[in-house]
Amino acid sequence: MTKPGFLSIALLLLLILAGGLRLTMVVLQSDQLKQDRDAYIAIARNLTEGNGFSSSNLGQETEIRPTAFRPPLYPCLLAVIYFLNAGSVGVGIVQIILGMLTVWFTWKAGKALQMEGAALVAAAIVATDPILLQYTTYAMTEVLAAFLTSLLLFLLVTSLSTDPVPSETQARKTLTFWTGIVWGLAILCRPTYLAFFGIWLVFRCASTLLLHFRSVKTALIEQSELKRLAVLAAGIMLAVSPWVIRNLLVFQSPILSTTHGGYTLLLGNNPVFYKEVVQQPWGAVWSGKSLDVWQKSLEQDMAQTDPPIKTEQERDRWMYQRAKHNIAEQTDLFVQACLLRLKRFWNISPLTSSTITSHSVIGWGIAGYYTAILFGCLGGLFLVIWKREKKWEPLIWLLFSFTLVHLFYWTNMRMRAPLVPAIALLSVYGWSQTARFFKFRTAANGAEVNRHKD
C-alpha cells in the first residue's frame, strides 16, 4: 500500500474513533445535554418561539427581556436544532459532527504546516482530548469554539501566514475574505477571539513596518499587505454586523461582544473569592452555597444604587467598576489571583470531578496525558519562536491572547478548550523535533565510534 493510501485509511479510522468516543460520551451522559448551565437553551427556545434573542422564561414571566449577556452564535445554532424538533438528540449529533470536523481541520492545518504524517498524530490528540470529549455532552460553546479554531488556523496558515507579495491572486483574496468570515463567527462564539485578532493585527502591522526598513519594494509590499488586511477586516465586519446592528436597535449601543464581561471580571476579583480560593491551598474551589450568597449580595448592592440600575449595560458597567475597585483595594491578592488563574487555565487535571473523571485511575491518566502534551507544546513554542517559523505565528498569538485574557477574567481548564487544536499541533511539532534531535545525536555518536575503531 502506498504511503498516501495508508495515511488516508489512518485518517478515516481516526475520524471513526473521534465519532465513536463522542457518541459513547453522549450515550453515557445524555441527561447533561438537557441541562441549561449558561442559558443558551433558554435563548434558543425563545428564538424558535419568535421572542427574539431573549433570556426570559415565559413559563414564569410575562415580559420579554432582550439580552446581550451571551454571545449569539451557539444559541442560534441550537435554535435551528430546536426549530427542526431534534431536541437534545439533535444537539448531541451536532456536537459529535463538530468534534469530528475539528479533528479533520486540525489534520488539514498540520498538512498546511508541512507536518505530513505528524499531522495525524495532532489530529489523534484532538480526537482523544478529555476536555473536548467531556464537553461534547454539554450545551455549551467549547465544542463549537474548538471547531472554529481548527478551521480558522487552517485558513490563516493557508492564506495569511506568508510574506505579502506585490500582486495577490483573486483566489487568495477570496480565501482571505472567508478567513475573516470565520474569524467573525469565532468572535460571535467566544469574544476572546476579538483579543486574538487585536494582538495578531498589532504584530502583523509591526512586521510590515519592519519590512519597510528591510525591503527595496516596500511601497508595493505595504500596499499588498494593507489590501489583505482590508479584505480580512471586511469579512469580519460582515460576520459580526448583524449582531452589532441588532444591539444598536435594541439597546441603542453597538455592542460587539456581550454584556457579560463585567460579571466575569468581578467573579474572579472579589473579596469572597480571594478569601475562599486564592488564600487557600491549591485545589480549593468556590462552593456553590457561598457563590449563591455572594450573587444575592450583588443584587442587593445594585438595588440600592442611586440612580437605580435598570439595563444590562448598566449592570455590566457597574460590575466592571466594582471589579476595578476590588483590584485597586487589594492589589497583592489580585496578583495572587492572576497567578492562580494562570495555573488553573493550564492545569493538567480538573479541580472538580464529573461522573467519569471521579475514578482515580482515569484522573491520573488525564493528568499524565496533559503533562506529556503540554510539555511538548512548550517545546514546540520555544522551537517555532527560535526558528522564526512564520507559518506558526497564528498559533503563538492564539495561545498568548487567550492566556492573557484569562489572567484577569474568571477561568478554569475548560476555558482552554478552543486552544486544543493549536496545542496539539505545537505539541507534536515539539516532540517530533526533539526525537529528530536525539536520533541525529545517536547517529553522530555511532559514526564517531566507528571512526575510532577504524
Side-chain angles (χ1 to χ4, degrees):
M1 184 182 294
T2 62
K3 187 177 180 181
F6 170 78
L7 291 177
S8 298
I9 291 175
L11 177 62
L12 177 61
L13 293 174
L14 197 54
L15 291 171
I16 293 172
L17 172 66
L21 289 173
R22 283 156 175 77
L23 177 61
T24 301
M25 293 296 294
V26 168
V27 170
L28 290 176
Q29 303 184 37
S30 58
D31 288 345
Q32 291 188 152
L33 286 169
K34 301 175 184 177
Q35 298 177 20
D36 196 12
R37 289 173 171 80
D38 286 342
Y40 291 121
I41 293 176
I43 295 171
R45 292 197 179 279
N46 279 326
L47 282 168
T48 58
E49 293 169 8
N51 298 319
F53 199 91
S54 60
S55 58
S56 309
N57 186 341
L58 296 183
Q60 302 174 0
E61 305 174 55
T62 57
E63 181 185 2
I64 296 175
R65 292 180 287 104
T67 184
F69 193 70
R70 294 293 179 186
L73 187 64
Y74 191 64
C76 289
L77 176 62
L78 292 180
V80 173
I81 296 170
Y82 288 122
F83 179 78
L84 297 173
N85 292 319
S88 61
V89 173
V91 175
I93 292 171
V94 169
Q95 299 273 79
I96 292 168
I97 294 171
L98 287 173
M100 295 173 70
L101 288 173
T102 306
V103 173
W104 169 266
F105 279 110
T106 301
W107 172 75
K108 293 281 285 182
K111 291 274 287 181
L113 290 166
Q114 300 177 333
M115 294 177 68
E116 300 304 327
L120 274 176
V121 182
I125 291 173
V126 175
T128 57
D129 182 82
I131 295 176
L132 295 184
L133 289 176
Q134 180 63 57
Y135 281 91
T136 301
T137 65
Y138 288 72
M140 298 169 72
T141 60
E142 278 69 25
V143 172
L144 177 59
F147 160 69
L148 290 169
T149 291
S150 65
L151 177 55
L152 179 59
L153 290 178
F154 167 65
L155 291 172
L156 281 171
V157 170
T158 304
S159 65
L160 283 161
S161 291
T162 56
D163 288 327
V165 294
S167 60
E168 293 283 337
T169 63
Q170 184 59 43
R172 187 169 288 274
K173 288 179 182 177
T174 302
L175 190 60
T176 301
F177 177 76
W178 280 106
T179 303
I181 292 287
V182 172
W183 212 327
L185 292 175
I187 291 169
L188 296 179
C189 178
R190 281 277 185 96
T192 317
Y193 287 97
L194 188 59
F196 172 34
F197 175 69
I199 291 171
W200 176 88
L201 183 62
V202 169
F203 175 80
R204 192 79 182 189
C205 292
S207 298
T208 304
L209 189 62
L210 285 175
L211 283 174
H212 177 80
F213 298 104
R214 293 179 180 178
S215 177
V216 178
K217 302 177 181 179
T218 53
L220 289 174
I221 290 176
E222 286 174 8
Q223 188 178 43
S224 176
E225 177 68 355
L226 287 174
K227 286 180 179 179
R228 293 168 81 176
L229 294 178
V231 170
L232 179 72
I236 293 174
M237 290 174 65
L238 182 63
V240 302
S241 58
W243 176 243
V244 175
I245 293 170
R246 176 264 181 186
N247 290 331
L248 184 61
L249 294 174
V250 174
F251 298 112
Q252 290 74 53
S253 177
I255 300 168
L256 175 57
S257 55
T258 65
T259 55
H260 184 59
Y263 174 76
T264 312
L265 183 66
L266 182 57
L267 189 63
N269 295 284
N270 65 80
V272 180
F273 177 73
Y274 290 162
K275 180 180 178 181
E276 297 199 12
V277 180
V278 176
Q279 294 180 292
Q280 301 303 317
W282 169 252
V285 294
W286 199 353
S287 69
K289 183 179 179 180
S290 174
L291 176 61
D292 183 59
V293 170
W294 175 77
Q295 289 172 331
K296 289 177 179 177
S297 71
L298 278 187
E299 295 297 330
Q300 292 172 359
D301 290 345
M302 283 187 283
Q304 295 172 4
T305 59
D306 185 25
I309 293 173
K310 296 180 180 180
T311 67
E312 272 192 1
Q313 300 100 300
E314 290 172 350
R315 288 172 62 91
D316 191 42
R317 284 192 292 268
W318 185 89
M319 290 187 184
Y320 264 118
Q321 291 301 320
R322 175 64 68 89
K324 291 174 184 176
H325 173 77
N326 292 336
I327 291 169
E329 285 288 308
Q330 298 176 291
T331 308
D332 55 335
L333 290 176
F334 166 69
V335 173
Q336 292 179 44
C338 288
L339 294 174
L340 176 67
R341 283 187 284 270
L342 181 64
K343 290 166 63 178
R344 281 185 159 198
F345 188 77
W346 291 105
N347 196 13
I348 58 171
S349 61
L351 295 177
T352 56
S353 300
S354 66
T355 305
I356 292 177
T357 59
S358 59
H359 300 286
S360 60
V361 175
I362 296 177
W364 280 106
I366 290 173
Y369 175 94
Y370 279 129
T371 299
I373 288 171
L374 294 180
F375 264 116
C377 180
L378 185 63
L381 270 174
F382 174 79
L383 287 171
V384 298
I385 294 171
W386 178 265
K387 296 166 72 173
R388 297 182 180 179
E389 297 278 6
K390 190 171 183 62
K391 281 197 168 186
W392 289 82
E393 287 171 0
L395 285 76
I396 297 171
W397 297 120
L398 175 69
L399 265 62
F400 176 77
S401 60
F402 270 68
T403 302
L404 181 64
V405 168
H406 286 291
L407 277 178
F408 307 105
Y409 290 81
W410 177 267
T411 192
N412 50 37
M413 273 182 72
R414 77 176 176 89
M415 300 299 180
R416 78 164 187 257
L419 306 183
V420 169
I423 292 170
L425 290 164
L426 283 164
S427 182
V428 172
Y429 181 79
W431 284 119
S432 63
Q433 293 298 309
T434 302
R436 186 176 299 178
F437 171 77
F438 281 111
K439 185 177 180 181
F440 173 79
R441 287 289 302 273
T442 303
N445 291 337
E448 185 69 24
V449 169
N450 290 334
R451 276 199 299 270
H452 283 304
K453 286 181 178 179
D454 293 338

